[in-house]
Amino acid sequence: QGGGLVVAQVDSASGAAIELATVPLNDTVIPPKYLASAYFPRLCVAPDHMRFAAVYTYAGRVDIFSSNGSLIAYGRVPFSFQPYLTNNPITRQLGFRGGEPEVRTGYNDCAATKERLYALYDGRLNGRRTDPKPPQQSALHVFDSSGNLLRVFTLDHGGYTLSVPPGDSVLYT
């Protein structure tokens, strides 16, 4: 969708998707046709289905919503950044290209529990092919349901997906 994230409910009987809301990304710089690829959201739903969060692969941003798509809070992320834009070499138009050296990876995945939101942060630049690559090491950002950053854990490995079972006592990456 050109304007943001579409929040829809699936009717269990018919399988039809019923659009509840479109959540704007509030980005006036990126052309609408590039918004989805520039932000590349990952969604996670709280077990009670009363809220969900969007974390973004190419932005340092976390958004927390109610189940109807109303914004509850912007996560207070430690490293806020927008997607990197570049001019397309063929069309000369401003847009997003994920393979550019200046593109930074933000959040790879998230998991929501009753009390917390866990977001797996990367933070590395693509870099040029000849550049030495930084070690793959991710951080886990832990937020409360109001978007407050509670803890940051540095993992000893690069993580691309995560899961947190009920009880918030075990983390799988």
Side-chain angles (χ1 to χ4, degrees):
Q1 195 75 358
L5 298 173
V6 175
V7 179
Q9 183 177 17
V10 176
D11 181 282
S12 58
S14 68
I18 302 161
E19 186 173 327
L20 299 176
T22 298
V23 179
L25 290 170
N26 296 326
D27 189 318
T28 58
V29 177
I30 297 176
K33 68 180 181 180
Y34 294 111
L35 279 174
S37 61
Y39 278 90
F40 201 72
R42 309 287 182 166
L43 303 176
C44 52
V45 180
D48 62 4
H49 301 278
M50 296 306 295
R51 61 182 163 74
F52 70 94
V55 300
Y56 302 93
T57 302
Y58 297 117
R61 177 174 166 176
V62 172
D63 299 337
I64 302 172
F65 303 97
S66 68
S67 59
N68 69 2
S70 300
L71 181 69
I72 294 173
Y74 292 111
R76 290 171 185 82
V77 298
F79 309 108
S80 178
F81 63 93
Q82 290 184 288
Y84 175 79
L85 299 177
T86 186
N87 282 317
N88 184 307
I90 297 168
T91 66
R92 302 284 184 221
Q93 292 179 340
L94 190 64
F96 174 78
R97 293 172 34 146
E100 292 294 315
E102 296 85 359
V103 170
R104 181 175 301 281
T105 301
Y107 291 94
N108 286 325
D109 201 7
C110 63
T113 65
K114 183 179 176 185
E115 301 291 329
R116 304 282 182 256
L117 169 66
Y118 298 87
L120 194 57
Y121 182 77
D122 185 308
R124 291 178 297 154
L125 288 171
N126 281 348
R128 304 204 182 281
R129 291 183 186 163
T130 56
D131 291 345
K133 297 293 179 207
Q136 284 194 325
Q137 187 175 27
S138 296
L140 181 70
H141 296 172
V142 183
F143 301 89
D144 66 14
S145 59
S146 297
N148 297 306
L149 182 66
L150 302 175
R151 302 263 326 247
V152 175
F153 296 97
T154 301
L155 304 180
D156 63 357
H157 61 280
Y160 296 96
T161 188
L162 79 146
S163 179
V164 180
D168 298 86
S169 62
V170 177
L171 168 77
Y172 299 98
T173 65

